[in-house]
C-alpha cells in the first residue's frame, strides 16, 4: 500500500538553492527566500514532503553542509557585507 501523499512541495522546490541530501536519504536541506529575514535554511522530509525551518537569522543563510556523523549542520551567514 503506498504511503499517503504529503503536502505539495513542488512550488517550494523551485525556490531552494544549495540543496543537499543527508546521508540517510531522508532529508533535503537547502536555503530559500523568506519574506522577513533574507534566505533561511529549511529541511524537507523527502518521503512525506513536510518542511522544517532550521534557521531564521537576520541576513542570508546558505551553503549547508552536514558533519560526517550527521549531527552538526554548518552554513554560511551573510549579514550586509560580512560573512
Amino acid at each position: 500500500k503506498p504511503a499517503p501523499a504529503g503536502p505539495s512541495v513542488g512550488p517550494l522546490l523551485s525556490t531552494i538553492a544549495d540543496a543537499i541530501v543527508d546521508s540517510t536519504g531522508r532529508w533535503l536541506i537547502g536555503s530559500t527566500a523568506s519574506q522577513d529575514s533574507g534566505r533561511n535554511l529549511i529541511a524537507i522530509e523527502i518521503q512525506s514532503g513536510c518542511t522544517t525551518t532550521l534557521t531564521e537569522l537576520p541576513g542570508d543563510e546558505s551553503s549547508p553542509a552536514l558533519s560526517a556523523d550527521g549531527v552538526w549542520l554548518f552554513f554560511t551567514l551573510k549579514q550586509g557585507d560580512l560573512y
Side-chain angles (χ1 to χ4, degrees):
K1 182 175 176 181
S8 174
V9 294
L12 178 61
L13 289 176
S14 67
T15 69
I16 294 177
D18 304 324
I20 62 169
V21 176
D22 79 322
S23 63
T24 68
R26 182 176 174 194
W27 297 96
L28 182 133
I29 301 168
S31 64
T32 187
S34 163
Q35 293 179 353
D36 300 325
S37 60
R39 296 194 72 81
N40 294 323
L41 295 182
I42 64 164
I44 300 174
E45 186 178 32
I46 293 171
Q47 186 174 10
S48 71
C50 292
T51 62
T52 301
T53 301
L54 302 175
T55 63
E56 289 185 307
L57 302 169
D60 295 322
E61 297 93 59
S62 62
S63 306
L66 291 167
S67 61
D69 61 5
V71 173
W72 296 97
L73 173 66
F74 305 94
F75 59 92
T76 301
L77 172 61
K78 181 181 181 210
Q79 292 179 321
D81 292 335
L82 301 175
Y83 283 88

